[in-house]
């Protein structure tokens, strides 16, 4: 079987970099993209800001304490999406096998590329050069024989770096890798692994598949394979949307029933609009509630028909809300609603276009 050639390209501090490129007065200074308010969250931080400990998903208030001279700008998604499309057009000069992960990163399968370039590293370097020369931005890239290793490699020498993990060196590379760096291992999973004495890829590789599945469920098989450099997943050119949702964080916590119902109504209207724009149909409604102390709950129910309009969604949303406890001493910080579970296979919406990102105003 022919060895695959996979590239992962990740734009460096994308939103902040676009702002600094287009606004000279922002260059070279600590910058964060986000909403400058009590509930604001950093979406992207420039590398000048990161030196102070500012990072994405961090509270704006915390970021400002870490870096008092921090400049904060509101996002411009139309501009970011336009630049993202320009990046994609560069990718398309080399391959049609593109899997967007977000607005600022993607996998490319260049095993059979349009230019007939034999080495994937040369393609990655050429893509980075064109992004730098044509768009005046920088990108980091990772090259390997599967998605897991290409993703790890792109993170290894950021920013503006290129890393190749050769098949002959993969197991050695993974052996010294901290488990926190494994794709799909979050803080809770890492802590669980640490409690088992697993801190590196080499230690993870010593654990049997059966034991990993017992502890972590089906994903244990994935960890077992990753520790051995195995990842058979193809680069998926079609994005299959499985849900559509929206949420809002309130400027002040709410606990009055009348206020909660009003906000729920507004969220239903927003969801209705998103369902229409996405041409998505599903039959399961999920309510997400986050409290002032950041505790979070979800409630779901499944209807016997597709949920498309306010008339379909609002009664169910109210029914779910009735199952949620809140009070003046336990107020609500955020409400979210989503529709999932397409009624039939035909209801899955396939999106080959570049995925539009969203700003995480909630951490």
């Amino acid at each position: 079987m022919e060895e695959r050639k996979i590239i992962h390209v990740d734009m460096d501090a994308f939103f902040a970099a676009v702002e600094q490129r287009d606004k000279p007065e922002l260059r070279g200074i600590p910058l964060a993209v986000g909403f400058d308010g009590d509930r604001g969250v950093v979406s992207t931080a420039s590398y000048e800001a990161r030196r102070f400990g500012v990072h994405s998903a961090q509270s704006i208030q915390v970021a400002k304490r870490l870096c008092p001279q921090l400049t904060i700008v509101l996002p411009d998604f139309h501009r970011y999406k336009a630049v993202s499309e320009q990046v994609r057009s560069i990718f398309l000069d080399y391959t049609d096998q593109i899997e967007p992960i977000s607005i600022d990163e993607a996998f490319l399968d260049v095993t059979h590329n349009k230019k007939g370039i034999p080495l994937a590293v040369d393609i990655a370097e050429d893509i980075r050069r064109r992004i730098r020369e044509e768009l005046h931005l920088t990108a980091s890239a990772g090259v390997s024989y599967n998605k897991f290793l290409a993703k790890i490699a792109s993170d290894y020498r950021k920013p503006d770096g290129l890393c190749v993990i050769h098949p002959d060196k993969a197991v050695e590379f993974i052996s010294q890798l901290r488990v926190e760096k494994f794709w799909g291992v979050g803080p809770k999973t890492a802590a669980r692994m640490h409690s088992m004495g697993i801190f590196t890829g080499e230690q993870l590789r010593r654990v049997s598949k059966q034991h990993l599945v017992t502890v972590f469920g089906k994903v244990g098989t994935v960890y077992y394979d990753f520790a051995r450099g195995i990842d058979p997943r193809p680069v998926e050119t079609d994005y299959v949307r499985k849900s559509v949702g929206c949420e809002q964080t309130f400027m002040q916590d709410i606990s009055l029933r009348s206020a909660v119902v009003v906000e729920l109504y507004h969220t239903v209207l927003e969801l209705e609009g998103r369902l229409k724009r996405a041409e998505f149909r599903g039959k399961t409604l999920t309510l997400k509630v986050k409290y002032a102390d950041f505790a979070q709950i979800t409630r779901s129910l499944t209807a016997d028909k597709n949920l498309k309009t306010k008339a379909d969604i609002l009664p169910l949303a109210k029914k779910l809300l009735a199952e949620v406890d809140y009070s003046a001493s336990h107020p609500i910080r955020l409400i979210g609603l989503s529709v999932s579970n397409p009624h039939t296979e035909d209801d899955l919406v396939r999106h080959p276009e570049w995925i539009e990102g969203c700003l995480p105003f909630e951490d």
Side-chain angles (χ1 to χ4, degrees):
M1 181 180 294
E2 185 177 14
E3 188 174 274
R4 293 190 299 163
K5 301 172 184 176
I6 309 298
I7 300 173
H8 180 264
V9 180
D10 192 357
M11 300 298 293
D12 298 322
F14 184 52
F15 296 169
V18 172
E19 295 293 341
Q20 290 182 317
R21 181 197 68 176
D22 296 346
K23 300 173 184 176
E25 69 274 15
L26 299 178
R27 295 173 191 168
I29 66 172
L31 174 72
V33 177
F35 171 63
D36 189 3
D38 291 340
R39 298 297 175 87
V41 171
V42 176
S43 174
T44 307
S46 69
Y47 284 95
E48 295 88 352
R50 295 182 190 194
R51 297 191 188 105
F52 292 86
V54 179
H55 57 79
S56 61
Q58 184 179 65
S59 162
I60 286 287
Q61 300 308 311
V62 170
K64 289 164 72 173
R65 286 197 295 272
L66 291 171
C67 182
Q69 66 270 46
L70 185 67
T71 297
I72 302 165
V73 298
L74 285 170
D76 184 345
F77 279 115
H78 292 295
R79 188 152 46 104
Y80 306 151
K81 190 170 188 293
V83 177
S84 180
E85 293 286 357
Q86 291 176 314
V87 175
R88 177 177 171 81
S89 70
I90 292 175
F91 294 163
L92 286 168
D93 284 343
Y94 300 87
T95 180
D96 293 327
Q97 300 300 306
I98 303 169
E99 179 181 344
I101 304 302
S102 66
I103 194 172
D104 62 347
E105 62 177 312
F107 287 106
L108 288 70
D109 187 331
V110 297
T111 310
H112 303 285
N113 61 86
K114 295 178 180 179
K115 295 182 179 291
I117 300 174
L119 297 179
V121 64
D122 291 338
I123 297 175
E125 190 55 78
D126 204 41
I127 287 173
R128 292 178 64 250
R129 176 190 60 79
R130 291 186 57 187
I131 290 172
R132 183 170 56 251
E133 293 178 359
E134 297 174 22
L135 305 181
H136 306 291
L137 296 168
T138 65
S140 296
V143 180
S144 197
Y145 59 92
N146 63 39
K147 290 164 67 173
F148 165 63
L149 288 168
K151 169 67 174 172
I152 294 294
S154 69
D155 290 336
Y156 199 66
R157 289 182 179 153
K158 288 182 70 70
D160 196 19
L162 174 63
C163 177
V164 180
I165 301 178
H166 192 274
D168 293 341
K169 300 291 185 180
V171 173
E172 178 184 344
F173 185 93
I174 294 168
S175 291
Q176 52 80 38
L177 197 67
R178 300 283 298 183
V179 292
E180 295 91 329
K181 299 294 185 180
F182 275 57
W183 198 13
V185 176
K188 291 182 179 179
T189 300
R192 186 72 181 274
M193 288 185 177
H194 291 171
S195 71
M196 298 166 61
I198 303 171
F199 295 88
T200 66
E202 182 177 2
Q203 292 168 330
L204 179 60
R205 195 164 55 248
R206 294 173 185 167
V207 183
S208 71
K209 181 187 293 188
Q210 181 179 352
H211 188 55
L212 288 173
V213 171
T214 299
V215 176
F216 299 106
K218 289 190 294 184
V219 74
T221 300
V222 176
Y223 299 147
Y224 180 87
D225 286 344
F226 280 179
R228 289 158 176 77
I230 300 169
D231 180 9
R233 295 172 302 161
V235 170
E236 299 280 2
T237 56
D238 285 351
Y239 168 67
V240 181
R241 186 186 293 275
K242 296 181 180 179
S243 67
V244 170
C246 59
E247 60 185 39
Q248 57 175 326
T249 301
F250 311 122
M251 296 302 295
Q252 294 183 331
D253 301 331
I254 58 176
S255 59
L256 288 176
R257 184 181 184 281
S258 57
V260 174
V261 170
V262 167
E263 297 298 347
L264 182 72
Y265 178 80
H266 290 157
T267 307
V268 168
L269 293 181
E270 173 67 18
L271 179 59
E272 179 185 38
R274 294 194 180 199
L275 289 168
K276 183 177 181 180
R277 290 192 295 273
E279 298 179 349
F280 183 87
R281 300 184 299 276
K283 58 180 181 177
T284 297
L285 181 69
T286 299
L287 170 69
K288 170 183 172 181
V289 171
K290 183 175 287 188
Y291 294 101
D293 60 1
F294 286 86
Q296 180 177 301
I297 63 169
T298 59
R299 298 289 184 270
S300 299
L301 58 79
T302 299
D304 57 3
K305 64 176 182 178
N306 286 318
L307 305 174
K308 297 184 290 184
T309 67
K310 179 186 72 174
D312 299 329
I313 300 168
L314 186 58
L316 301 182
K318 288 182 176 179
K319 185 175 181 179
L320 291 174
L321 182 63
E323 301 176 11
V324 176
D325 294 325
Y326 56 91
S327 64
S329 60
H330 196 42
I332 294 175
R333 173 187 176 91
L334 171 150
I335 285 179
L337 285 171
S338 65
V339 169
S340 60
N341 190 15
H343 197 68
T344 68
E345 192 67 23
D346 292 338
D347 291 333
L348 285 172
V349 180
R350 304 188 74 84
H351 294 273
E353 74 275 7
W354 203 239
I355 300 174
E356 183 173 0
C358 61
L359 181 69
F361 278 122
E362 180 62 33
D363 55 351

